Amino acid sequence: MTQPLTAWHSFSLRKAAPDEPSIGAYGGHPRGIRPSEWPRCAVCGAPMCHMGQLDAGEWLDLGGYARMSLFICHATGGRCEDWDPWKGANRVILHKEIDNSLYDGPPTVRVYRRVLLAVDPPLDELALMMRVKKDGLPMRDALRSLRHDKLGGGAVWLHGDSTPKSVAGQGPMTLALQLTTSLVRFDITPKGMAYVFLDPHDRSPEAGRMLWQGS
Ligand SMILES: [Zn+2]
């Protein structure tokens, strides 16, 4: 019998095999983003670069939304503080519908290599943490085993917990995605990691926040 999924379950992300259904993609040109909707950096005003799009499913709870799109500013070499979840130099957009139409984008933005994504079966991170508590598994080994691209579960921090707080509820936001530079060499510090959180008290399309930490 399969166990019900909890907030402790995470789904490891990997490159989809040929002909395998994908649950999203890193890089390439985003789908369903009209030129008028293309996000611009709130700091420098430049069009942002597309990082990826992930679709909701049992592997990713988007609070009723169907897809999320991720963008980051690469226009100023980090001076816009693109690692900060609140500065507006990166963007998480939630979409009600899945629109796979291709529209033109700004000609000047950097385009990452497109990698279609699939997920592995869920991993129970609570069971892993119980092995730390009861079986003497070193915490650093447990955390190292979670240091990959994944949906849900707990964040593996490189420099301490920076979980954003819900604006309305003041409680912590929920991890939706942990992203590394291994599937696509995103232009954050090599071996850096990015984190996308959702505000459980915010039902708006702006409920997502992204931040990243360098290695
Ligand atoms: Zn910028």
Side-chain angles (χ1 to χ4, degrees):
M1 209 178 90
T2 52
Q3 296 294 315
L5 292 172
T6 71
W8 286 92
H9 284 89
S10 65
F11 291 80
S12 184
L13 280 164
R14 59 177 169 75
K15 193 175 176 211
D19 303 328
E20 185 181 22
S22 67
I23 59 98
Y26 283 160
H29 193 75
R31 277 31 176 183
I33 305 280
R34 291 180 171 80
S36 61
E37 299 167 328
W38 194 282
R40 288 175 169 269
C41 175
V43 180
C44 73
M48 289 198 247
C49 299
H50 169 243
M51 294 178 84
Q53 295 183 304
L54 283 305
D55 295 342
E58 76 163 351
W59 50 85
L60 174 62
D61 180 2
L62 293 177
Y65 288 89
R67 170 175 284 176
M68 75 174 176
S69 301
L70 309 175
F71 290 85
I72 192 165
C73 177
H74 284 330
T76 62
R79 270 182 288 125
C80 294
E81 300 181 277
D82 57 337
W83 57 84
D84 189 293
W86 305 106
K87 290 262 163 69
N90 63 54
R91 197 63 198 281
V92 180
I93 303 173
L94 297 172
H95 309 273
K96 286 215 169 76
E97 324 249 325
I98 289 181
D99 175 0
N100 286 321
S101 314
L102 270 169
Y103 302 100
D104 286 340
T108 53
V109 293
R110 170 170 178 178
V111 180
Y112 287 111
R113 187 170 60 97
R114 183 167 168 86
V115 174
L116 293 175
L117 300 169
V119 285
D120 284 332
L123 172 84
D124 185 354
E125 297 186 5
L126 182 60
L128 182 67
M129 290 306 147
M130 291 311 281
R131 285 180 55 206
V132 172
K133 216 170 169 179
K134 293 188 169 162
D135 303 340
L137 173 70
M139 180 59 107
R140 66 175 180 279
D141 292 354
L143 291 177
R144 193 179 300 132
S145 75
L146 298 174
R147 198 173 156 167
H148 51 245
D149 292 62
K150 68 188 181 87
L151 300 167
V156 179
W157 296 105
L158 300 178
H159 299 294
D161 190 342
S162 296
T163 303
K165 292 242 186 335
S166 160
V167 177
Q170 296 305 313
M173 292 193 187
T174 309
L175 183 73
L177 166 68
Q178 173 175 286
L179 180 158
T180 75
T181 55
S182 60
L183 289 169
V184 168
R185 284 202 44 197
F186 291 112
D187 189 12
I188 57 180
T189 314
K191 311 265 192 216
M193 285 167 70
Y195 313 87
V196 177
F197 285 86
L198 295 178
D199 185 338
H201 303 287
D202 184 352
R203 293 288 149 204
S204 80
E206 307 293 325
R209 294 283 153 187
M210 178 160 58
L211 66 145
W212 63 269
Q213 295 186 339
S215 60

